[in-house]
Amino acid sequence: MAEVLYRTTPSRRGVLGGLGLAAAGLAFGGPDGFSRAAAALPEGVESHGLSVFGDLKYPADFKHFAYVRPDAPKGGRLSTIAGRWAFNQNPQTFNSLNTLILKGDAAVGLTVIYDTLMVRALDEPDAVYGLVAKSVRAADGGNTFVFTLRPEARWHDGTPLTAEDVAFSLTLLKEKGHPQITETIRDMVSATAEGPSTVVVKLSGKQSRGLIQVIATLPILSKAYYASHDFEQSTLDVPLGSGPYKVGRFDAGRYIEYERVADYWAKDLPVNVGQNNFDVIRYEMYRERTTAFEGFKAGQYLLREEFTSIVWAQQYDFPAFKDGRVVRFELSDGSPSGAQGWFLNTRREKFADPRVREAIGLAFDFEWSNKNLFFGSYRRTHSFFENSDLKASGKPSPEEVALLEPFRGKVPDEVFDEPWSPPVSDGSGRDRKLFRRANELFTAAGWVNKDGRLRNAKGETLDIEFLDSDPIFGRVVGPYVQNLAALGVSATSRVVDPSQFEKRLRDFDYDAIVRRYSLSPTPDEGMRLYWGSKSAAQPGSSNLSGIRDPVVDALIEKVLGAPTRPAMVAAARALDRVLRAGRYWVPHWFKASHWMAMWDVYGRPETPPYDLALAAIWWIDRDKAKRLDKGL
């Protein structure tokens, strides 16, 4: 991990971005709420795509997405390290090729071997278009969706991909999949096959307006394959897929390659034109980022997204960069930056009081860190919806007040005023004003400083362990730990191996953990995984702080059930105010761009606003590769 952390969204063309995973419903508030939301797809109308609010950019006869180069050259190799991952994938090592369960550490990128019913357009906030599914129509007041499949769909072994496979997959994933999936699609009642090309998905009537899109972007599994393989086992057996790539060479814990399927059945579909250009996609694994950077300098891999400001500012001085063989550039990022920070585990009694959590946060001097450690590269994160129109600012609008008013007295009064934001320090590294405020909060919460240590009425000391799996973050944690010690908090930083880190993360076995996640521009079921009460006790969920708040639950449902985008924005801003009032985290920082570095052998189109998609839409520039003498 580094200053700007890897996103926990999936890597395959952004199709699973809503799973947080990417990516998870309770009731909208009655049938009437659902009927308004379901109007996005008029009942009985066959559609080539789905959008939460009914707006599709691309017509039924579109030829390709606007952000691809349709005649992009095929061939060559992309070699990189992971910047995004999903489900149980571990970017630093792996011991499994089963990425759809909680057990094991799976290789990054595995979702690229699977097809889905539909895929996301990366220049629209929430639209998906048919891949395996040729079309979809709604029935039963929006509680049933009927997908018509393309008869030409095939598995990598040449056998047909049928409605039985789709129904089997959705049922299996709901019952035995990774918690990020099972919790997400719990309002899917059934998925059944009606003939070889028709799948009927029935929903509970209490689902969010975007659930069907999440379902449509889940991986499709082979029913025949899993008749002789145990889906619930962590294994290095190569699974059967139907996607544009299949698993190629790998060395567990070191690297994995995905080989392009030359006769991929869907290569000429509009949703794939100009994409899947590399013959091989290879991910290298490194246990820590300093070693990873040295590997890049040596040409062990050729493309990286840079997440560490000191590296970006000072360490691109090696010969290949100086002579132009390695180039750097920034790409704009139009997606929500979301939340990065130290998440405090409120499942532990010592962090139960929000005053304690706020006081802990006051010891972190962002302004000093940004100047002295980050070269002024970042802005402070304030919101759980940073860099988006969902972020709360100023006093609440009338629409927000209407949503918050029923909870007056159940939420802090501040949610009816300016939203809470981390204070700006004097940049000294130890702002006395903020330290005084922190001491006041600790005292009010029952923690008294005795002989330089904070103790509660039981005589227990206030201890915090910051857990990580990479030592590179130590230069940021170190000054923070010193500031906490000055306040009487016994703080330590502990770095463990990647497998142990993932296990402790899944089991919520930590005091404070640093992580970044973000939602899609149109939030979906993933919100319940991040902040919903039911996910707080679910191992493997993304509710890192263990938030259990019925007000948060209710506002999540308002967001998910909003009949229009303006209503959704108002509900998200109201939710943001309540979450920020909870002081569940110590917010970090963000920048609305990607730092990219590469050996100059790749070509690329304009970057779509909502995902880099580099493994999907970039290509090898043969002339550049030849000049660099890179055998790609």
Side-chain angles (χ1 to χ4, degrees):
M1 298 182 187
E3 294 158 14
V4 178
L5 300 183
Y6 306 108
R7 294 191 178 183
T8 54
T9 50
S11 56
R12 177 159 189 242
R13 293 176 291 180
V15 296
L16 297 174
L19 290 174
L21 359 105
L26 299 174
F28 284 171
D32 183 56
F34 182 76
S35 64
R36 292 195 303 271
L41 180 60
E43 188 162 335
V45 174
E46 292 281 344
S47 177
H48 64 294
L50 290 168
S51 173
V52 168
F53 298 111
D55 301 319
L56 292 175
K57 173 179 178 178
Y58 296 97
D61 60 350
F62 81 103
K63 303 303 181 184
H64 58 80
F65 292 129
Y67 50 82
V68 304
R69 174 180 163 181
D71 61 346
K74 305 291 185 182
R77 164 187 302 260
L78 171 67
S79 59
T80 186
I81 56 176
R84 289 151 185 81
W85 60 86
F87 311 124
N88 65 346
Q89 295 171 16
N90 189 327
Q92 296 168 299
T93 187
F94 71 95
N95 54 31
S96 176
L97 297 179
N98 186 352
T99 188
L100 300 173
I101 60 173
L102 181 60
K103 186 178 180 180
D105 295 304
V108 295
L110 272 165
T111 48
V112 78
I113 73 173
Y114 297 109
D115 275 325
T116 55
L117 287 169
M118 311 187 94
V119 296
R120 183 182 167 205
L122 303 181
D123 54 353
E124 296 179 83
D126 55 38
V128 294
Y129 295 87
L131 177 57
V132 172
K134 180 172 62 176
S135 65
V136 60
R137 60 181 171 85
D140 188 26
N143 290 328
T144 297
F145 289 84
V146 181
F147 292 90
T148 300
L149 308 190
R150 300 182 193 273
E152 65 267 31
R154 291 292 185 272
W155 295 102
H156 291 157
D157 63 3
T159 57
L161 189 163
T162 70
E164 287 285 348
D165 292 307
V166 177
F168 164 80
S169 301
L170 296 178
T171 303
L172 182 66
L173 290 173
K174 179 182 177 180
E175 294 175 352
K176 299 180 179 181
H178 191 284
Q180 291 178 348
I181 301 175
T182 60
E183 288 300 303
T184 297
I185 64 173
R186 64 184 185 223
D187 279 320
M188 184 190 78
V189 174
S190 65
T192 56
E194 294 186 358
S197 300
T198 302
V199 177
V200 179
V201 176
K202 293 185 179 295
L203 308 178
S204 68
K206 299 184 291 184
Q207 70 277 358
S208 76
R209 51 167 165 39
L211 176 59
I212 192 60
Q213 290 168 272
V214 173
I215 292 170
T217 54
L218 286 172
I220 300 172
L221 309 176
S222 166
K223 183 177 181 179
Y225 177 84
Y226 284 104
S228 58
H229 294 78
D230 186 352
F231 173 74
E232 296 182 89
Q233 290 303 308
S234 174
T235 177
L236 288 173
D237 290 343
V238 175
L240 178 63
S242 65
Y245 289 86
K246 61 183 179 181
V247 174
R249 299 188 307 159
F250 64 89
D251 185 348
R254 297 186 61 190
Y255 73 88
I256 187 168
E257 293 183 349
Y258 298 98
E259 299 175 355
R260 185 161 61 89
V261 178
D263 58 350
Y264 174 44
W265 72 270
K267 62 182 179 181
D268 297 323
L269 290 181
V271 294
N272 282 324
V273 169
Q275 305 194 55
N276 309 314
N277 301 316
F278 297 106
D279 282 346
V280 174
I281 299 172
R282 177 179 172 118
Y283 292 99
E284 300 285 352
M285 311 289 173
Y286 296 91
R287 295 301 181 100
E288 54 92 24
R289 292 192 64 78
T290 299
T291 305
F293 184 61
E294 293 301 316
F296 176 72
K297 290 163 59 177
Q300 293 174 6
Y301 63 97
L302 304 183
L303 175 68
R304 68 185 266 118
E305 182 174 0
E306 186 56 69
F307 294 98
T308 309
S309 60
I310 191 171
V311 175
W312 186 257
Q314 295 186 341
Q315 296 181 24
Y316 279 83
D317 58 355
F318 50 95
F321 179 73
K322 290 180 177 179
D323 65 24
R325 287 175 292 159
V326 169
V327 296
R328 297 188 310 175
F329 47 93
E330 284 192 63
L331 299 176
S332 62
D333 182 4
S335 63
S337 293
Q340 178 179 306
W342 287 289
F343 291 86
L344 302 173
N345 189 356
T346 65
R347 301 170 187 85
R348 299 188 168 178
E349 184 178 356
K350 57 188 173 184
F351 303 124
D353 193 319
R355 294 171 296 187
V356 171
R357 302 195 293 268
E358 181 176 354
I360 291 170
L362 291 173
F364 174 60
D365 193 326
F366 166 74
E367 283 67 33
W368 180 90
S369 298
N370 198 35
K371 178 182 178 181
N372 292 281
L373 301 178
F374 306 153
F375 303 89
S377 299
Y378 302 120
R379 289 182 283 166
R380 187 77 189 267
T381 296
H382 291 193
S383 166
F384 287 83
F385 299 99
E386 197 65 63
N387 195 40
S388 80
D389 61 349
L390 309 180
K391 175 183 176 179
S393 61
K395 295 183 182 295
S397 66
E399 293 79 10
E400 293 172 65
V401 171
L403 291 167
L404 293 168
E405 192 62 45
F407 308 113
R408 190 179 290 273
K410 299 178 181 178
V411 296
D413 290 341
E414 69 182 63
V415 303
F416 294 94
D417 207 323
E418 299 276 343
W420 178 82
S421 293
V424 177
S425 77
D426 61 10
S428 66
R430 190 170 292 188
D431 189 314
R432 292 184 178 182
K433 181 179 178 181
L434 298 185
F435 272 40
R436 283 196 299 271
R437 176 58 180 159
N439 279 319
E440 292 170 358
L441 289 167
F442 280 133
T443 300
W447 293 89
V448 179
N449 197 316
K450 296 180 180 179
D451 302 322
R453 299 289 298 277
L454 287 177
R455 298 182 183 273
N456 62 15
K458 299 177 183 178
E460 299 167 331
T461 59
L462 182 54
D463 306 327
I464 303 177
E465 179 187 80
F466 292 89
L467 184 68
D468 209 331
S469 62
D470 194 321
I472 199 170
F473 209 67
R475 71 191 188 100
V476 183
V477 179
Y480 186 24
V481 165
Q482 294 175 11
N483 281 356
L484 288 168
L487 290 169
V489 179
S490 179
T492 58
S493 175
R494 185 177 184 188
V495 177
V496 299
D497 69 78
S499 293
Q500 184 181 354
F501 177 83
E502 291 299 324
K503 184 178 187 305
R504 290 186 62 177
L505 177 67
R506 294 167 191 166
D507 295 341
F508 306 123
D509 182 17
Y510 53 83
D511 287 337
I513 198 164
V514 62
R515 196 52 105 167
R516 180 189 180 190
Y517 62 78
S518 61
L519 295 168
S520 62
T522 301
D524 56 28
E525 268 74 10
M527 301 177 72
R528 297 194 184 102
L529 291 177
Y530 293 137
W531 310 311
S533 295
K534 288 187 177 181
S535 68
Q538 173 63 59
S541 87
S542 301
N543 191 341
L544 303 178
S545 293
I547 299 171
R548 295 176 183 267
D549 185 343
V551 176
V552 170
D553 294 338
L555 289 173
I556 287 173
E557 299 314 311
K558 293 294 184 181
V559 177
L560 296 179
T564 64
R565 186 164 188 91
M568 182 199 71
V569 169
R573 291 174 178 175
L575 173 62
D576 191 32
R577 293 176 188 277
V578 174
L579 287 170
R580 288 159 69 175
R583 315 295 199 269
Y584 296 111
W585 62 326
V586 181
H588 276 186
W589 45 83
F590 77 101
K591 59 181 179 63
S593 65
H594 303 275
W595 285 335
M596 305 300 301
M598 69 179 185
W599 289 76
D600 193 14
V601 297
Y602 296 116
R604 59 184 174 85
E606 287 292 320
T607 302
Y610 298 123
D611 200 298
L612 277 175
L614 54 88
I617 64 176
W618 290 27
W619 60 85
I620 284 289
D621 186 316
R622 292 292 186 185
D623 292 335
K624 290 181 177 180
K626 188 179 298 183
R627 286 197 298 271
L628 288 184
D629 193 27
K630 292 289 183 182
L632 299 173

